[in-house]
Amino acid sequence: MNWELIFSGSPFLELALILFLAAILGAAGQFLRQPLIVVFIALGIIVGPSALNIVHSKENIHLLAEIGISLLLFIVGLKLDLRLIRSTGKIAAMTGLGQVIFTSVIGYFIGIALGFSHLHSFYIAVALTFSSTIIIVKLLSDKKEIDSLHGQIAIGFLIVQDIVVILVMIVLSTIGRNEGSNLAADIGSTLLSGGVLLLITFVMIKWIIPLIGTFLARSQELLTLFSIAWAVSLASFSSLIGFSSEVGAFLAGVCLATTPYKESISGRLVSLRDFLLLFFFVKLGSDLNMAVIGAQVPAAILFSLFVLVGNPIIVLVIMGLMGYRKRTSFLAGLTVAQISEFSLIFAGLGLQVGHLNEEIVGLITLVGLITIGVSTYMILYSNQLYELLSPVLSVFERSTPYREMSPLKKEGDYDVIIFGLGRFGGSIASKLESYADLRFLGVDFDPQVVSSWQERERAIVYGDIEDPDILENLPFHSSKCIISTVPDSSFSLTLYNTLKEHNYEGRIILTAVLEKDFELLSTQTDADVIMPHRLAADYLHELLVEDILIIDELRNAD
C-alpha cells in the first residue's frame, strides 16, 4: 500500500495512525510487562521505512521529540535530590562512579576487540554505562521496594549516573560546536557559555523564582505553563550559545528543584513527558535502517550480555567490598542491567556532531531493546533469581557484612518482634513502650526508619521480610510473639513458613488489608490474622455504643 500517497498533505492523519498503533502496541507491552520505551522503539521500526513507511512529516516528529527530551531533562533536574545521595552515604557515589568507570573501560576494550574504531568504541562504552532511572523507579515502586535498602542505594547511584551523563553531554556539545578550532578558544568559549548558564540558574534560584513562585502557584495551570515555557526557553538559549538543549533543560529543572511546588509540577508534567517522548523513540526507530544494522546483531548480543551480566557483577563486587550482604548487592546490581534512554540520546548527539554513523546508533539501539526487555523480567523476578543464584553469590560477600549488621542496643531476649514499623507497626511499638517490663525488637527494610529508631535508642535491626536468611541474626526462638504488619499476603506467608521451618513455637500475628488476603492467611496458616480497618471499626463501634448508652441514661434520668 502506498502510504506516502495517502498521507501526503495530511500530517494529522499520519499522527492519528501513529497514536492508534502506539495504543495497540502499548496494550501488548502492558500484557508482556514491558516498559513503554521498548514499545515505542518497536513502533518506530514498524512505522518507519523498514516496514509500513508511514512517517513522512519528519520535521513535525523531530520538533515534538525535541520538546519531549527537554521535558525529560527538566524533570530530571527538578527531581534531583542530593539529600538522597547524602543519606545513602559514600556507597551511592562509590558504586555509581565505580560502575561507570569499570563498565566504560571494559566496554571500550570489547569494542576494540570486535574491530570498532577507537572513537566508536568510546561512544559504545559510554552508552553502556547509563541505566534508566525512569524504568527502575517505576519497577521498584510497583514492587514496593523503593524504600528498601537496595532500592535507596540504587536510586542514589542512578542519580550519580544522571549527573555524569549531563557532564558528558556538556563535553560532547562543546566538541561538536568547536570541532577543528583552537583548543584554548574552545575551553574559553565553553567556560564563558557555562558561566552564563550557571549565572542564570543562580539568579533564578536566588531571586526570581522566590519572587514569582507564590503568584504562579495560585493557579496550577499557570504554574504548569510557566514550567514548560521555562524548560523550553532555557533549552533553546543553551542551544543558541553552543551547548546542547538538554543541558539548558536540565538546569531549568534545577532552578525549580528548591521550590515547594516541585512535586506538583513533576506530577503534572510526567504524563506530558511520556507522551512527547513517544515521538523521540518513534523518530529513533523510524531512522533505523534494518538492512544496515542487521550485521550488528552478533555484536549487539555480546554487548547486551555484558550489560545484563557484567554490570550487576561490577556492582556486586563494589558493594561486597564495602561490606554489604550478597542479597542487597545482587538486588541493587540488577538495576543496572540495562542501558538508559540517555544512552540513546547520547548516541543521537554523537550522530548529530558527525562522530557516529547509522550502524553504531543502530547497534546501541539494539542493545537498548535487548537489555531493557530482558532486565525488566530480571527485576520483576529478582527474588526468585536470588534464590536460584544465592549459593554462588557468596563469593561477593565479606565474611562479616558489617554494613548491615545493626548492633542491638539491648542484648538478650525479646518478648515481641515486630516486622514493619510504618504507621500501623509504629503505633503498635509506641503502645508497647508503655510497658516497662516488656521488651520488643523492631525489624524494618527502610534504612531511614531504622536510622530514626536507632537515634531514639530503640532496639531495631535492618531486615527485609522477603529475605530467606532474615532470621539468621534475630533472637526469635526466645520471643513469645512475632507480629508482621506487612500487608502483602505473599510476604506474610513467606515469613510464616520460614518461622515454621525453624520450629518457632510462639504466637504469630499477621496483617491483611484485603478480604481475600485475610481468607488466604486464615486458611493456609494457624496464625492470628488481623485487619487494621476492622480494628478501627470495632474501636469506633465501642465508642459510639458507649456514648449512646450514656446519652440514653441521661435522658432516662431526666
Side-chain angles (χ1 to χ4, degrees):
M1 184 177 292
N2 192 343
W3 292 104
E4 187 171 3
L5 181 64
I6 296 174
F7 291 122
S8 59
S10 182
F12 184 79
L13 183 59
E14 176 185 325
L15 182 65
L17 184 57
I18 290 174
L19 293 177
F20 177 74
L21 291 174
I24 294 176
L25 288 179
Q30 183 77 7
F31 177 76
L32 296 173
R33 306 183 77 176
Q34 283 294 318
L36 286 178
I37 290 177
V38 174
V39 173
F40 290 165
I41 296 176
L43 172 65
I45 295 173
I46 292 173
V47 301
S50 300
L52 298 179
N53 196 23
I54 292 173
V55 178
H56 300 287
S57 304
K58 293 193 174 182
E59 290 185 0
N60 296 331
I61 299 293
H62 178 72
L63 176 61
L64 293 172
E66 286 288 307
I67 298 175
I69 294 173
S70 295
L71 285 182
L72 170 65
L73 271 296
F74 173 77
I75 293 175
V76 170
L78 186 68
K79 303 187 78 170
L80 185 65
D81 190 356
L82 296 179
R83 292 172 299 177
L84 181 58
I85 299 178
R86 289 196 296 268
S87 69
T88 52
K90 63 181 180 180
I91 181 60
M94 291 289 290
T95 307
L97 293 176
Q99 183 264 323
V100 167
I101 293 170
F102 283 109
T103 300
S104 57
V105 170
I106 298 172
Y108 171 80
F109 284 109
I110 293 176
I112 294 296
L114 290 175
F116 293 102
S117 69
H118 292 284
L119 182 61
H120 288 173
S121 297
F122 168 77
Y123 269 90
I124 294 170
V126 173
L128 299 183
T129 63
F130 306 125
S131 304
S132 178
T133 304
I134 296 173
I135 293 175
I136 298 306
V137 169
K138 177 69 167 61
L139 290 173
L140 291 179
S141 297
D142 289 347
K143 294 188 68 181
K144 297 180 175 60
E145 295 179 0
I146 198 73
D147 292 323
S148 66
L149 180 60
H150 68 267
Q152 292 286 289
I153 292 173
I155 300 303
F157 62 63
L158 288 174
I159 291 175
V160 172
Q161 286 186 4
D162 289 343
I163 295 173
V164 171
V165 74
I166 296 300
L167 296 176
V168 172
M169 285 182 178
I170 291 174
V171 174
L172 180 58
S173 62
T174 304
I175 294 174
R177 176 188 63 184
N178 298 304
E179 198 168 55
S181 60
N182 181 270
L183 178 61
D186 292 351
I187 296 174
S189 177
T190 300
L191 292 176
L192 179 61
S193 299
V196 171
L197 282 175
L198 291 177
L199 178 62
I200 293 174
T201 303
F202 176 77
V203 171
M204 289 293 292
I205 293 174
K206 187 71 175 178
W207 292 292
I208 306 300
I209 297 299
L211 183 65
I212 65 175
T214 304
F215 171 75
L216 294 172
R218 292 176 184 173
S219 168
Q220 290 292 315
E221 291 77 12
L222 180 59
L223 182 63
T224 304
L225 178 60
F226 170 80
S227 301
I228 297 172
W230 172 236
V232 175
S233 298
L234 195 58
S236 301
F237 179 74
S238 175
S239 179
L240 187 65
I241 64 175
F243 276 110
S244 68
S245 58
E246 289 83 3
V247 175
F250 172 77
L251 291 177
V254 172
C255 290
L256 298 176
T258 57
T259 68
Y261 326 115
K262 70 172 188 175
E263 294 298 336
S264 175
I265 296 171
S266 174
R268 283 175 167 260
L269 292 185
V270 163
S271 297
L272 179 61
R273 174 204 67 190
D274 292 342
F275 172 72
L276 291 173
L277 278 179
L278 157 68
F279 298 100
F280 169 75
F281 294 112
V282 165
K283 178 180 179 298
L284 183 69
S286 63
D287 287 342
L288 291 178
N289 188 335
M290 300 305 291
V292 172
I293 67 173
Q296 303 291 346
V297 171
I301 293 175
L302 182 60
F303 281 120
S304 297
L305 288 174
F306 170 60
V307 172
L308 291 166
V309 179
N311 276 359
I313 289 177
I314 291 171
V315 173
L316 270 164
V317 171
I318 295 173
M319 291 185 63
L321 290 174
M322 295 188 70
Y324 285 89
R325 297 173 60 229
K326 60 183 180 181
R327 183 175 183 273
T328 302
S329 303
F330 176 76
L331 296 180
L334 289 183
T335 63
V336 296
Q338 87 288 122
I339 68 173
S340 167
E341 62 279 357
F342 284 125
S343 303
L344 306 180
I345 295 172
F346 175 71
L349 284 175
L351 180 64
Q352 182 179 324
V353 300
H355 291 170
L356 300 182
N357 53 36
E358 288 185 358
E359 291 184 6
I360 303 302
V361 175
L363 168 64
I364 295 173
T365 305
L366 280 178
V367 174
L369 284 169
I370 295 170
T371 56
I372 293 172
V374 175
S375 67
T376 297
Y377 293 112
M378 291 169 64
I379 294 172
L380 288 174
Y381 298 101
S382 57
N383 290 301
Q384 291 87 335
L385 267 178
Y386 173 75
E387 291 182 11
L388 179 66
L389 300 175
S390 179
V392 300
L393 294 177
S394 298
V395 68
F396 299 107
E397 184 179 78
R398 299 179 68 161
S399 56
T400 303
Y402 63 91
R403 294 275 182 179
E404 297 183 52
M405 300 291 288
S406 302
L408 298 179
K409 295 294 182 181
K410 301 175 182 178
E411 301 296 337
D413 299 334
Y414 292 87
D415 301 301
V416 180
I417 297 178
I418 306 173
F419 285 86
L421 292 173
R423 286 178 297 180
F424 185 45
S427 298
I428 294 174
S430 298
K431 292 291 185 183
L432 295 180
E433 285 182 328
S434 61
Y435 298 93
D437 296 332
L438 192 148
R439 306 183 69 214
F440 70 90
L441 171 67
V443 183
D444 202 280
F445 81 148
D446 187 337
Q448 295 182 0
V449 171
V450 174
S451 177
S452 173
W453 278 73
Q454 285 177 341
E455 289 175 1
R456 294 161 54 189
E457 297 187 347
R458 300 294 187 267
I460 186 171
V461 295
Y462 172 83
D464 190 341
I465 197 171
E466 289 186 270
D467 186 353
D469 303 323
I470 191 172
L471 298 180
E472 287 185 2
N473 299 312
L474 295 180
F476 68 97
H477 278 296
S478 58
S479 66
K480 300 180 178 64
C481 178
I482 291 180
I483 304 172
S484 169
T485 65
V486 180
D488 192 301
S489 60
S490 61
F491 298 164
S492 297
L493 279 174
T494 300
L495 176 63
Y496 175 85
N497 291 330
T498 304
L499 288 170
K500 290 301 182 182
E501 288 172 5
H502 286 77
N503 300 314
Y504 177 69
E505 297 179 354
R507 185 177 184 183
I508 301 175
I509 300 177
L510 306 177
T511 302
V513 173
L514 303 177
E515 292 289 343
K516 63 176 184 179
D517 292 332
F518 178 83
E519 294 176 5
L520 176 68
L521 295 175
S522 298
T523 54
Q524 297 195 14
T525 73
D526 60 1
D528 296 309
V529 184
I530 57 176
M531 301 184 73
H533 64 274
R534 281 188 182 178
L535 295 177
D538 291 341
Y539 178 69
L540 181 61
H541 173 264
E542 291 179 6
L543 286 179
L544 290 174
V545 170
E546 184 178 341
D547 288 344
I548 291 172
L549 290 176
I550 292 174
I551 293 172
D552 287 342
E553 289 177 2
L554 291 174
R555 285 176 178 172
N556 293 332
D558 292 340

